[in-house]
Amino acid sequence: MNINNQNGFTIVQAIFILVVLALLGTYMVRLSTVQQSTTTQALLQARAYQAARAGLEWGIAATLDETTPWGGDEREIQIEGFKVIVTRDVDEVAGVDDSNYNEAGIPGVIHPIKAVSIFGVHSSPDYVSRALEVTIHD
């Protein structure tokens, strides 16, 4: 008598292969999503840096050109979806109380300028922020 007790063994192999393929597919989708979000984040960070730099350039031009109105010590500018806050705060100059100085008999003024560019809100996965500072001596 020939008894074949291998009925159903093929279905176990098929289920195993399907589970392995499903796990592999899930892993690849997750890897692709992480790679895409990393690329997007890098692009947003580069754009935030350039927006902050543009804010600094505006602050430098407004400081050196007396006809450009600052409207106080802080100015908010919108650049391509980025909120750029440009400030010039003389009180923050390295612990110096007065921004006027005299070096070798030549009077001068210190102008610290800071630009912070912000995209999104803190709880957003697309949130980026960059801050740049420059000090002008004239």
Side-chain angles (χ1 to χ4, degrees):
M1 227 155 112
N2 189 5
I3 299 175
N4 192 356
N5 288 333
Q6 295 184 7
N7 291 338
F9 186 70
T10 306
I11 198 159
V12 172
Q13 288 177 338
I15 291 174
F16 177 76
I17 290 173
L18 284 176
V19 168
V20 168
L21 288 176
L23 289 174
L24 185 62
T26 304
Y27 172 75
M28 292 186 73
V29 167
R30 182 172 296 202
L31 183 65
S32 173
T33 303
V34 168
Q35 184 178 12
Q36 183 178 3
S37 66
T38 302
T39 303
T40 302
Q41 195 73 356
L43 177 64
L44 284 174
Q45 290 171 3
R47 291 180 64 201
Y49 172 80
Q50 293 299 331
R53 187 169 171 143
L56 271 186
E57 294 292 333
W58 181 89
I60 291 169
T63 300
L64 297 178
D65 182 14
E66 299 295 328
T67 61
T68 306
W70 260 89
D73 286 337
E74 184 174 292
R75 180 73 184 260
E76 185 175 313
I77 306 167
Q78 292 291 329
I79 301 176
E80 297 288 327
F82 287 85
K83 178 172 73 171
V84 181
I85 302 167
V86 183
T87 58
R88 61 175 181 182
D89 191 2
V90 176
D91 296 334
E92 291 184 7
V93 180
V96 178
D97 293 333
D98 190 21
S99 65
N100 296 319
Y101 69 96
N102 189 336
E103 187 173 327
I106 302 171
V109 180
I110 299 172
H111 300 284
I113 301 171
K114 181 178 182 179
V116 178
S117 66
I118 302 168
F119 183 81
V121 294
H122 284 287
S123 60
S124 170
D126 289 337
Y127 173 78
V128 292
S129 174
R130 286 288 180 264
L132 298 175
E133 296 182 37
V134 68
T135 303
I136 302 173
H137 302 270
D138 61 345

